Amino acid sequence: MMEEEELEFVEELEAVLQLTPEVQLAIEQVFPSQDPLDRADFNAVEYINTLFPTEQSLANIDEVVNKIRLKIRRLDDNIRTVVRGQTNVGQDGRQALEEAQKAIQQLFGKIKDIKDKAEKSEQMVKEITRDIKQLDHAKRHLTTSITTLNHLHMLAGGVDSLEAMTRRRQYGEVANLLQGVMNVLEHFHKYMGIPQIRQLSERVKAAQTELGQQILADFEEAFPSQGTKRPGGPSNVLRDACLVANILDPKIKQEIIKKFIKQHLSEYLVLFQENQDVAWLDKIDRRYAWVKRQLVDYEEKYGRMFPREWYMTERIAVEFCHVTRAELAKIMRARAKEIEVKLLLFAIQRTTNFEGFLAKRFSGCTLTDGTLKKLESPPPSTNPFLEDESAPEMEELAIEKGELDQPKKPKVPDNPFHGIVSKCFEPHLYVYIESQDKNLGELIDRFVADFKAQGPPKPNTDEGGAVLPSCADLFVYYKKCMVQCSQLSTGEPMIALTTIFQKYLREYAWKILSGNLPKTTTSSGGLTISSLLKEKEGSEVAKFTLEELCLICSILSTAEYCLATTQQLEEKLKEKVDVSLTERINLTGEMDTFSTVISSSIQLLVQDLDAACDPALTAMSKMQWQNVEHVGDQSPYVTSVILHIKQNVPIIRDNLASTRKYFTQFCIKFANSFIPKFITHLFKCKPISMVGAEQLLLDTHSLKMVLLDLPSIGSQVVRKAPASYTKIVVKGMTRAEMILKVVMAPHEPLVVFVDNYIKLLTDCNTETFQKILDMKGLKRSEQSNMLELLRQRLPTPPSGADGSSSLSLMAPTPEQESSRIRKLEKLIKKRL
């Protein structure tokens, strides 16, 4: 029983002493030990086996037991000392807590004493400063009362003086006194409830009203509205009255200005009545000369009478402009049938010059907001009617050089007076638009006549490939019209002018460019067919002359210039027109027309060179390649093709030096046209012997090298061909070489031959394979087995391939084409 109880105690003790890994790690860090007994995973059996590894080691078991007992005794002593040391810990803690509480109580008492003393001190300070605050308030109220009494005295005396001076018309003294009285009266706004103060305020208002009526009466007496004669010079009384009017209600000032300007312009309305000869547009200069004289007369006589900040000179000029605009609009409506374009432009030019004169003389500060919003002036640098003509000329020169998109100098500030008179001409601008329509029609006709008279550009001169002079003349005229019209209106007239521009851009493209392109012989003509059917090697075909090639290049360069300049013209028109109308300006159709001319020119150049090479390719297809016995230099047909290329390409390249991208397009289109045609004629070379195939392969390689060098052929400066062009040539001519390599390969065994064909030609199909078999001269019976084998070994075509193959089978075969040509040749010979 005792042993069982001891075992249970041990188990309970072990369960209690089972520490967590974190606690065990902390103990090991604080009390590091190498003793196995201190390890958490201590194993008694392993420890005993370590102490007694063999039976002989059991001899000193008593010594080991004594050491362990000694160690146990020491541990017991240590535990006992620790336990006894912890006996008084609780008592010491309670004592420390009591001492802390006592210290807190003492601190709280001291803080309370300090707070009581602070409250007593604050109360003492309040009692001390109470009397001082009362004295401060008394002083402030006394000062305010004295100041108010002084103001009241000043106000009462000022009102009395103001009434007396008003009766005596002492406006100079009134001007200074009235402003002071107004300032003093502002201090009494919060005292208006006091009857005496209210009475003084009413007396000031009455004095102001009386002053206003009295000043208006004085001006009416000095400048009667019914009479036209004015005093010889300004009055000092009126000058001082203007100073008083500045202080009074603004309506008084406006009334004075209105009456004076009306009286000042009354003579103008009489002199330039609608029924007077000088009122018509041809004498519009007299209107502006009259007002200039009046402005000078005003400065001499009345310049010092009105304050400078009234801007009377500018106000007279602005009112003159409003009256003139209304009068001109009325008279032009009555005599609209008499308005001619020259007369209209003359009047507009003189009017815009006058508006420019006003902009130089005045700032425009008197213009109303509504006037400023309506008047939108273009930059003065593009105004063809101003005195400074250098800026428009420079801009026209920029058009000739194609520099419309170059950065411009900073714009001069807009003219605030632009349109203040010239707006009246806008309803009659249809006369100008119709005139420009007529002038542009005559200009196009003159271009056509000049072109016929001068003929095409001369070869080997600077004219070859250059832009036609008529093109620059057309756009310079366009720019002039656009600038003129934008000065007159930025609304619907600009849209109408844009429509005229579109019309004659298309006419220029049709009559001058497309209409002068050389005509080619069609495929239905007997000349082309007979030339293709001639068997002589040296047979000639219809080709463009050197002059015609230069003309085509010149037209292409002109079309490119027109395309770029039309785009810039569209941008300029959108800048000139109102923002709400920009979407209605679209010259895309005209730009497409010039693009079509460019494409047509390139196609003509390609067709000409392509047609020149046709006889050589025809000669290649008619050679007896099965009889060739040895491989020599390149064949004569290759030499012929190279000769034509060397004749045409340098001319085209030199004449398209300013448009390199279109020369590159020409090269690409020629390669896309020549290489498929060469492969088509290659299939017609049948049968071919092994030596013949080797000769054709040599010829194909020679043509490939020439085509790769095509962009710089015959040039002293060797340039690398564009990558896009090189890719087309390499791909097309490599296919021709692969076809010949398949022809050269032995057709036995069949599987190897078919696999070689599939490997060499990526776009392999049964139709191409059959053509290759025809070139090898195989019989139809032999071809059937090979075609069946090819179909078996070809990869499965994707969906939709059957339709394309059926379409390709529907196309006529080369044999059918040749038979048709033979029949047509016989028919022509019979008719001849």
Side-chain angles (χ1 to χ4, degrees), residues 92-108:
D92 295 341
R94 285 192 296 272
Q95 184 178 357
L97 180 61
E98 291 175 358
E99 292 177 356
Q101 290 176 347
K102 290 179 181 179
I104 291 172
Q105 290 178 357
Q106 293 175 359
L107 181 61
F108 181 75

Side-chain angles (χ1 to χ4, degrees), residues 134-149:
Q134 290 179 353
L135 291 174
D136 287 342
H137 288 307
K139 179 182 177 181
R140 187 180 305 112
H141 293 324
L142 182 60
T143 303
T144 304
S145 300
I146 295 173
T147 304
T148 304
L149 288 174

Side-chain angles (χ1 to χ4, degrees), residues 49 225 385 443 464 618 677 757:
N49 290 334
S225 58
F385 304 122
L443 187 65
T618 304
K677 184 179 293 188
Y757 167 73

